[in-house]
Amino acid sequence: MSKYRTHNCGELRLADVGKKVTISGFLETIRDLGGVVFLDIRDMYGITQAVTSGNSEDVEFASHIPVESAVKIIGEVRKRDEETLNKKIATGEVEVVVEEIEILGKRTKSLPFDVSDSKNVREDLRLQYRFLDLRKKDLKDRIVLRAQVMQHLREKMIEKGFIEIQTPILTSSSPEGARDYLVPSRVHPGKFYALPQAPQQFKQLLMVSGIDKYFQIAPCFRDEDARADRSPGEFYQLDMEMAFAEQDDVFEVIESVIPETFEKFSNKKVTKAPFTRIPYKEAMLKYGTDKPDLRNPLEIVDVTDVFEKLELRAFKGGIVRIIAVHDVKDEARSFFEGMTDYAINELKAKGLAWLRILDDRSFQGPIAKFITEEAKEEMLKRTNSKEGDAIFFVAEKPGRVEELAGQIRTELGKRLNLISKDKFEFCWIVDFPMYELKDEKIQFSHNPFSMPQGGMEDLITKDPLDILAYQYDLVCNGVELSSGAVRNHDIEIMVKAFEIAGYSKEEVETRFGALFNAFQYGAPPHAGIAPGFDRMVMLLAEVDTIRDVIAFPMTSKAEDLLMSAPGIVTSEQLKELHIKLNIEKEKEN
């Protein structure tokens, strides 16, 4: 028996009436009713009500304990009176009559906020006092959920024959899409380690080493801006790699592990395997994004060819996409004007044209008189529209038109309540382009270590912008859950692929020396993926920001307010690392 507990604060029931028990926890509330004091004691398992006897010394002592102090109570369990039952908590039928009460850890400072209700407290204040914020049940429950999901994923991966291996945290810098966090070396003046953006090279080296199936819940470090679904600095992913494997082998593992995890920790409907596979090009056309929310039934249709001959100046020379929405005859004109205002003011679009289809199949709207009957019929046919429906138009240059149409599609889904809240809809985005044109230069559009479809022949004979890669993303409810690829394990194909992106053979050998060297000793075909662990928990917990599922997150400005990081170090530390700061000079410039 523990000195501090015979029971936790969530387990006492009617069957315990008459027992002498010891409970410990934080004092959440005090209710002094004059002659008797009620105390709610909270630990991570629940809340138990304690009540003083008529002893005046007990009443006096209990009534002056600061809330949120850590206390221990010894007493007898009794049944509550019928009028005082609390059905909101599991222990609500019983209470503990205090025989002894001891303060284990007294609160001596004023609380920065009400711990039991901090919903309206500024996030920066909550993060500064995260140890208090974590005492709240909802936040603590999410951290517990995180631990349970991690344990489940680990068990499932081991069950499937994967071996958990930790890869180094201090490594070399490599171009993987974001800025590195650099760590100066004391032993090697002027040289730096980098924290890994992902264990990419290490897991491929494990495949060359003969490890057949690797995984880890891997910490990754990227110096990039925060978003609702991305934490700056540090994040975690379920990193996995398989030797002698191709795309379908990776899909088979993920389509088993991920849906089962979501089913176990949620009551929502979950997509059954196999997941829908959508080529990147099709996703950008139909949904305006490579991370579509398939709960939204709306689709984007290209009608550029229909409008090429029409005298609509706003549509001239651009790509024209339309989105049909069904059964909106009861929507007021203000709905359509509201969407136009949203497009102009929020999305910075030039405008948003729309048409309503009336009962006689005629069109009503700002551009109705400019559209021929032939064009109207073609749009009705392509969108399967009818009386009572409406069509929204987006006309813009390539690249921008996809983005705008995708955002309009999402907003229409929200405003018309088309997006189901009771399911997790998974899909694969496949066939990503190997390269993209950025600042008039050919660059990798995804993971540079991916295998091009068609191998060396495509690299030699095709326009780089037409080459597809064996790259794939797993998407859930509009959130990119993970990226993966069949890896490029052939040294000659790798050199050629990097050459197209502007890297010489010498640069490849220098920047990726370990892989370049290892692949010359016989590398097996291999493939992998890395689902974002934090994002999975965020979806399961149904919260809007990833910071709500991380115990000690940074702010959106990459600051740890609790530990005051990043912070200033001493001149002695800098001298030891052979570093001289140049901040004042930069300020002058």
Side-chain angles (χ1 to χ4, degrees):
M1 182 188 301
S2 167
K3 170 185 175 181
Y4 299 108
R5 287 172 170 161
T6 59
H7 298 75
N8 65 47
C9 292
E11 64 180 324
L12 292 177
R13 301 290 188 274
L14 287 174
D16 299 303
V17 169
K19 292 180 182 178
K20 187 171 183 178
V21 299
T22 303
I23 60 172
S24 294
F26 297 100
L27 176 57
E28 183 169 277
T29 59
I30 298 174
R31 299 183 300 283
D32 187 348
L33 303 185
V36 65
V37 176
F38 290 90
L39 310 105
D40 287 337
I41 313 301
R42 178 193 69 237
D43 63 11
M44 74 177 291
Y45 308 104
I47 296 175
T48 295
Q49 177 174 284
V51 57
T52 60
S53 63
N55 186 310
S56 59
E57 289 184 6
D58 287 347
V59 171
E60 175 67 17
F61 181 76
S63 63
H64 288 87
I65 301 174
V67 294
E68 294 303 327
S69 296
V71 299
K72 180 177 84 170
I73 287 176
I74 300 174
E76 183 177 308
V77 181
R78 76 179 181 193
K79 186 179 183 301
R80 290 199 201 188
D81 295 334
E82 288 297 324
E83 61 272 17
T84 64
L85 296 180
N86 185 354
K87 295 182 179 180
K88 293 181 180 179
I89 58 175
T91 61
E93 293 183 288
V94 297
E95 60 191 8
V96 177
V97 181
V98 177
E99 296 177 11
E100 297 179 39
I101 184 167
E102 178 184 353
I103 300 177
L104 303 174
K106 187 175 183 178
R107 177 178 63 78
T108 58
K109 297 183 73 172
S110 297
L111 290 168
F113 51 80
D114 183 352
V115 173
S116 61
D117 183 18
S118 61
K119 288 181 181 179
N120 297 319
V121 178
R122 297 193 328 265
E123 186 184 49
D124 60 340
L125 188 61
R126 289 193 292 109
L127 292 180
Q128 184 181 351
Y129 292 92
R130 190 64 163 183
F131 52 88
L132 292 177
D133 201 29
L134 281 167
R135 291 185 185 181
K136 290 189 312 182
K137 183 179 186 308
D138 57 349
L139 183 52
K140 186 178 274 87
D141 285 348
R142 291 195 285 269
I143 300 305
V144 171
L145 171 66
R146 180 187 178 96
Q148 293 171 337
V149 173
M150 183 176 287
Q151 180 181 345
H152 175 77
L153 289 171
R154 182 171 277 120
E155 290 171 352
K156 291 301 297 181
M157 295 303 290
I158 293 171
E159 181 184 302
K160 290 188 171 296
F162 286 77
I163 298 173
E164 185 172 11
I165 301 175
Q166 285 72 46
T167 52
I169 297 299
L170 292 176
T171 183
S172 61
S173 177
S174 67
E176 292 185 33
R179 297 181 188 89
D180 288 321
Y181 279 103
L182 300 177
V183 181
S185 170
R186 175 185 60 82
V187 180
H188 304 282
K191 293 187 176 181
F192 294 80
Y193 302 101
L195 304 184
Q197 293 187 32
Q200 183 65 53
Q201 294 189 66
F202 286 111
K203 66 181 184 180
Q204 290 191 249
L205 289 168
L206 286 172
M207 300 298 100
V208 181
S209 303
I211 299 296
D212 199 57
K213 294 179 179 180
Y214 139 92
F215 91 99
Q216 68 172 316
I217 311 292
C220 304
F221 306 88
R222 297 179 187 176
D223 185 3
E224 57 189 359
D225 296 332
R227 295 192 310 230
D229 64 351
R230 182 170 69 193
S231 177
E234 179 181 354
F235 63 95
Y236 286 78
Q237 59 190 32
L238 172 61
D239 202 52
M240 61 160 279
E241 198 78 12
M242 305 167 67
F244 303 104
E246 54 187 356
Q247 179 173 286
D248 284 351
D249 298 308
V250 175
F251 286 9
E252 184 179 350
V253 172
I254 292 298
E255 289 178 347
S256 169
V257 172
I258 299 300
E260 186 176 319
T261 301
F262 275 71
E263 286 173 350
K264 181 178 177 66
F265 295 101
S266 171
N267 294 321
K268 295 184 178 183
K269 299 172 186 174
V270 179
T271 307
K272 301 296 183 184
F275 299 160
T276 300
R277 301 184 188 187
I278 307 171
Y280 170 83
K281 191 173 181 180
E282 179 185 331
M284 295 304 293
L285 171 60
K286 290 174 67 174
Y287 309 109
T289 177
D290 59 0
K291 40 183 182 288
D293 187 346
L294 297 188
R295 297 173 303 168
N296 185 346
L298 300 179
E299 292 187 0
I300 302 163
V301 176
D302 185 80
V303 290
T304 305
D305 60 316
V306 176
F307 283 86
E308 282 177 345
K309 299 176 183 179
L310 297 185
E311 294 300 320
L312 270 169
R313 189 170 59 182
F315 291 1
K316 281 289 183 183
I319 305 297
V320 184
R321 302 277 162 84
I322 59 175
I323 305 168
V325 290
H326 302 297
D327 301 319
V328 289
K329 63 182 178 181
D330 294 331
E331 295 291 341
R333 187 181 180 90
S334 59
F335 167 76
F336 296 89
E337 292 173 345
M339 283 300 304
T340 301
D341 290 342
Y342 168 77
I344 295 172
N345 298 323
E346 298 294 326
L347 306 182
K348 308 305 177 186
K350 297 172 186 175
L352 181 66
W354 52 269
L355 294 172
R356 303 183 75 155
I357 306 168
L358 305 180
D359 290 343
D360 60 357
R361 287 175 65 86
S362 64
F363 280 49
Q364 179 191 70
I367 62 170
K369 64 182 180 181
F370 301 105
I371 301 178
T372 64
E373 289 302 317
E374 182 182 358
K376 291 176 183 177
E377 287 302 319
E378 185 62 28
M379 285 191 291
L380 292 176
K381 179 181 175 183
R382 293 189 189 186
T383 60
N384 195 29
S385 296
K386 61 185 185 311
E387 297 86 347
D389 296 347
I391 296 174
F392 288 84
F393 295 77
V394 177
E396 260 289 358
K397 60 185 178 180
R400 178 62 172 152
V401 73
E402 289 87 356
E403 179 186 19
L404 273 177
Q407 291 169 321
I408 293 297
R409 170 184 177 267
T410 298
E411 189 65 18
L412 284 168
K414 289 177 180 177
R415 295 193 182 196
L416 294 171
N417 295 316
L418 300 177
I419 301 173
S420 173
K421 303 293 185 184
D422 66 347
K423 62 182 178 180
F424 290 112
E425 195 77 53
F426 290 92
C427 67
W428 292 107
I429 306 300
V430 297
D431 299 338
F432 278 85
M434 185 81 178
Y435 302 99
E436 64 182 355
L437 192 63
K438 195 172 183 181
D439 299 326
E440 299 185 358
K441 292 181 180 179
I442 297 292
Q443 299 183 15
F444 288 110
S445 66
H446 213 276
N447 190 319
F449 299 103
S450 302
M451 179 66 79
Q453 295 184 20
M456 182 66 84
E457 183 179 347
D458 276 18
L459 293 178
I460 295 172
T461 62
K462 281 191 171 184
D463 181 326
L465 299 180
D466 292 333
I467 298 172
L468 301 180
Y470 285 113
Q471 296 168 342
Y472 36 84
D473 281 1
L474 178 63
V475 176
C476 177
N477 292 5
V479 175
E480 180 192 315
L481 211 53
S482 59
S483 290
V486 175
R487 314 303 179 187
N488 187 345
H489 70 284
D490 185 301
I491 195 69
E492 292 183 4
I493 297 177
M494 177 185 287
V495 169
K496 183 62 180 176
F498 274 89
E499 178 189 304
I500 292 172
Y503 295 82
S504 67
K505 181 178 179 180
E506 290 70 28
E507 284 180 292
V508 176
E509 189 171 358
T510 300
R511 302 187 76 168
F512 312 107
L515 275 182
F516 188 88
N517 185 45
F519 283 178
Q520 296 176 76
Y521 289 86
H526 53 284
I529 196 169
F533 175 71
D534 308 286
R535 290 183 183 181
M536 272 193 272
V537 181
M538 184 183 79
L539 287 170
L540 287 167
E542 299 183 59
V543 292
D544 296 326
T545 169
I546 208 164
R547 292 188 290 278
D548 283 342
V549 296
I550 299 172
F552 299 104
M554 287 189 177
T555 67
S556 58
K557 294 182 179 179
E559 292 178 297
D560 181 346
L561 300 179
L562 177 62
M563 304 300 290
S564 299
I568 297 171
V569 298
T570 66
S571 56
E572 288 79 11
Q573 287 174 293
L574 292 173
K575 187 175 180 180
E576 198 172 37
L577 293 168
H578 317 283
I579 291 177
K580 186 176 181 180
L581 296 181
N582 203 23
I583 295 174
E584 292 306 318
K585 243 178 206 183
E586 288 181 5
K587 283 181 180 177
E588 289 173 12
N589 295 334

